[in-house]
Amino acid sequence: MNLARTSKSFHVVILGGSFAGIRAAQDLESLVLPHLVTITVVERRDQYFYNLGGLRAMAKEELIDMVWLPYDRIFQYSHNKVVQGEVTSVYPNAVILKDGRKLDFDSLLVATGSVYPAPCKVDATSHVQGKAELRMYFEMVKTADSILIIGGGPTGVGLAAEIATQYPSKTIVLVHAGPRLMSTEHNSTSMSRKAYKKLKSLGVNILLNERVIIPDDEPLRNQIECRWLKTSKGRSLFSNLQFLCNGITFDTSFMDTLDPVFRHKIVDGETRQLRVLPTMQINHPELPWVFAAGDVCNTTGEKQAYRADSQGAHVARCMARMAQAWTQGNSRWFD
């Protein structure tokens, strides 16, 4: 398949303005002469949210304003831009936003990230609302005497460490279903031991090989409330603040329109992640100009910021080569 040119310059659309998307956008702008490429980043938030700092901001209020940053300095050239919007449909050469806007592209990067239970990832699209939510969580952490953290992956371990460091007198219990902290195959036992030792030195009570049972009719409410919750081993745990730090999901329903017949080749039916080749191109032989990077793709390894950053840089190099071939009139610019 080959597509007609959308404009005089090579037009790139990037869905998602976080680690992978912004790295790809900035690198691509620097790799190609400015008149050869136009870059549009579509981001549902009105400002960049540095979610890694969000956990620390829940324990240190002075950081809340620092984890939200405007997008006005992302690009060097004014024809490249970040627009606020939410994608609803993706087609071979265009995306449709929720408000009806249509953005044509010659190459597309999907870097929409992952969905995580609040407050580990703030869902707000407005930085004003997002800062208000973080301040609310900060006040709850400050007020609570006993905090229960469910999930011992990187997020749960990080949150426990931040709170315990700032508030050493609080009772913090971390419950993890696995045999060791951060117990995926991608983390070494040495790393798990170091995390365990560090949390214990901070006074965190760690329960491994145990699950917290959350009643269906009494879900966690992300608010101060005194609760007794039982574990899979029959233990009763009291806390007046609970944080759920597991349950990562992926919303890629907007990709179903790209290939409605064979979409199972693009989207993993179980995880809803996008299937990608080693080149970060999506798993579709007729759409080599469509890429995915960051949490949303099904690459192996932990979903970590440095991996998303590296993948974004790789995609930028691939797109730069495509742009050069495209502007030279090569009919196989996408190879």
Side-chain angles (χ1 to χ4, degrees):
M1 182 188 293
N2 197 358
L3 296 178
R5 297 183 177 190
T6 61
S7 64
K8 292 182 179 180
S9 66
F10 189 78
H11 198 169
V12 169
V13 170
I14 297 174
L15 305 180
S18 192
F19 295 106
I22 295 302
R23 178 60 188 273
Q26 291 183 319
D27 280 14
L28 179 60
E29 187 184 49
S30 68
L31 289 169
V32 183
L33 292 173
H35 68 281
L36 298 182
V37 66
T38 299
I39 305 167
T40 303
V41 176
V42 180
E43 167 56 43
R44 65 186 190 87
R45 295 189 176 100
D46 64 351
Q47 287 194 1
Y48 181 92
F49 175 57
Y50 183 64
N51 57 58
L52 296 183
L55 296 180
R56 180 164 292 185
M58 288 167 57
K60 300 187 71 173
E61 186 180 21
E62 62 269 25
L63 298 180
I64 291 176
D65 287 329
M66 299 173 64
V67 298
W68 290 89
L69 302 169
Y71 280 111
D72 57 2
R73 297 183 181 180
I74 293 298
F75 292 115
Q76 300 178 53
Y77 304 107
S78 59
H79 66 282
N80 299 322
K81 57 191 176 181
V82 179
V83 300
Q84 186 178 11
E86 184 176 347
V87 64
T88 58
S89 305
V90 174
Y91 296 94
N93 66 337
V95 298
I96 308 297
L97 305 188
K98 191 174 183 178
D99 60 8
R101 282 178 291 175
K102 176 175 175 283
L103 301 176
D104 294 326
F105 62 78
D106 298 299
S107 187
L108 174 72
L109 169 60
V110 181
T112 48
S114 56
V115 180
Y116 215 82
C120 299
K121 277 195 175 181
V122 176
D123 192 49
T125 57
S126 159
H127 71 281
V128 175
Q129 180 186 355
K131 289 179 181 181
E133 287 185 19
L134 284 176
R135 287 194 171 89
M136 177 186 68
Y137 290 125
F138 166 79
E139 291 297 335
M140 288 194 293
V141 169
K142 182 180 177 181
T143 302
D145 298 316
S146 179
I147 300 173
L148 174 64
I149 296 175
I150 304 170
T155 301
V157 169
L159 181 58
E162 296 292 355
I163 297 174
T165 298
Q166 190 68 15
Y167 300 104
S169 63
K170 293 186 185 294
T171 299
I172 302 173
V173 179
L174 187 152
V175 182
H176 183 54
R180 56 185 176 89
L181 296 177
M182 301 187 295
S183 53
T184 67
E185 61 184 271
H186 311 296
N187 291 318
S188 67
T189 55
S190 174
M191 182 182 296
S192 298
R193 285 195 297 268
K194 289 178 181 178
Y196 184 93
K197 184 178 179 180
K198 180 61 176 179
L199 290 185
K200 293 297 286 185
S201 73
L202 292 171
V204 177
N205 183 13
I206 303 170
L207 304 177
L208 299 175
N209 291 309
E210 204 158 350
R211 297 178 183 273
V212 174
I213 301 171
I214 304 172
D216 292 336
D217 58 346
E218 295 183 74
L220 301 183
R221 299 179 180 87
N222 290 325
Q223 64 186 32
I224 294 288
E225 60 176 346
C226 297
R227 292 194 66 169
W228 286 94
L229 291 170
K230 285 191 174 182
T231 73
S232 54
K233 293 185 177 180
R235 194 193 312 262
S236 293
L237 300 175
F238 173 81
S239 60
N240 51 20
L241 181 59
Q242 307 81 32
F243 289 125
L244 182 62
C245 293
N246 57 25
I248 187 172
T249 57
F250 309 91
D251 182 9
T252 53
S253 57
F254 54 85
M255 293 293 285
D256 290 348
T257 52
L258 187 60
D259 189 347
V261 177
F262 298 107
R263 63 177 181 267
H264 61 280
K265 293 182 180 179
I266 301 174
V267 181
D268 186 300
E270 183 176 345
T271 68
R272 294 298 299 177
Q273 289 175 283
L274 300 183
R275 300 180 189 272
V276 292
L277 304 173
T279 56
M280 306 308 299
Q281 294 161 301
I282 64 168
N283 185 37
H284 194 303
E286 295 188 357
L287 297 171
W289 50 83
V290 179
F291 297 81
D295 286 7
V296 75
C297 62
N298 71 333
T299 51
T300 58
E302 285 286 352
K303 299 302 179 183
Q304 295 179 344
Y306 79 92
R307 292 181 184 274
D309 184 85
S310 175
Q311 291 167 5
H314 169 80
V315 171
R317 292 191 295 271
C318 292
M319 286 183 166
R321 288 193 292 270
M322 287 183 174
Q324 294 287 354
W326 188 92
T327 54
Q328 292 169 5
N330 188 337
S331 62
R332 299 291 297 178
W333 53 267
F334 46 82
D335 283 346

